[in-house]
Amino acid sequence: MSRAFNPPDTLSQDNIRTVADVRRTVWINGIFGLGAGSVTGMMSHIVLQKLQRHYIGDEAASDSSKFPPKNAAKKSGFMYRCLRLLPPLGKNTFLLSLLGGGALGSFVMSTTAGKSFLFSHFQIVTELYLTTIIENEEKEELASSQL
């Protein structure tokens, strides 16, 4: 069973409620980050796809050595050189951008919420950490005495 259902006796009811609020906040921020990251990944894919079509054209899907350059001045630009490194952007890369952005956004927002709690409630974290160390030491002593 989870330790969330059996908090240590050293924590007050207020501290237990605070830890539960933090757990809830981490989950909520993770869900918000999932949404924001998915939208950001989707929008960045669409923008990069349009830029790639504009600057590179049909060459992105094929080998550039087969086709002569359409515009030599266009090929020497900074945007062309940056966008040429990307693979051709299509449906598969769209799904990758959507899911990757969602995962990254969820991770960043959840981690930020957790770190914010660590800085604002350092005493509760210290109490939880110390009780965990004491419980582990007691278990080790009990196991060594049974041998």
Side-chain angles (χ1 to χ4, degrees), residues 52-74:
Q52 193 178 41
R53 283 186 186 155
H54 180 263
Y55 282 100
I56 297 176
D58 295 334
E59 289 180 43
S62 62
D63 187 8
S64 62
S65 63
K66 293 180 182 177
F67 300 102
K70 294 179 183 176
N71 188 354
K74 202 179 202 183

Side-chain angles (χ1 to χ4, degrees), residues 70-120:
K70 294 179 183 176
N71 188 354
K74 202 179 202 183
K75 290 217 173 252
S76 63
F78 176 74
M79 287 297 286
Y80 176 82
R81 285 182 290 182
C82 290
L83 293 172
R84 185 70 180 124
L85 299 174
L86 294 175
L89 300 175
K91 286 187 258 181
N92 292 338
T93 55
F94 177 78
L95 186 63
L96 177 69
S97 299
L98 180 76
L99 296 178
L104 182 65
S106 177
F107 172 74
V108 168
M109 291 290 284
S110 296
T111 305
T112 304
K115 293 293 182 181
S116 175
F117 167 73
L118 279 177
F119 289 123
S120 60

Side-chain angles (χ1 to χ4, degrees), residues 22-70:
V22 167
R23 193 174 293 123
R24 191 176 314 111
T25 302
V26 166
W27 275 97
I28 289 171
N29 280 342
I31 292 170
F32 284 149
L34 177 70
S38 296
V39 169
T40 303
M42 178 181 65
M43 295 305 294
S44 63
H45 183 275
I46 290 171
V47 167
L48 283 173
Q49 190 177 31
K50 292 202 182 289
L51 285 173
Q52 193 178 41
R53 283 186 186 155
H54 180 263
Y55 282 100
I56 297 176
D58 295 334
E59 289 180 43
S62 62
D63 187 8
S64 62
S65 63
K66 293 180 182 177
F67 300 102
K70 294 179 183 176

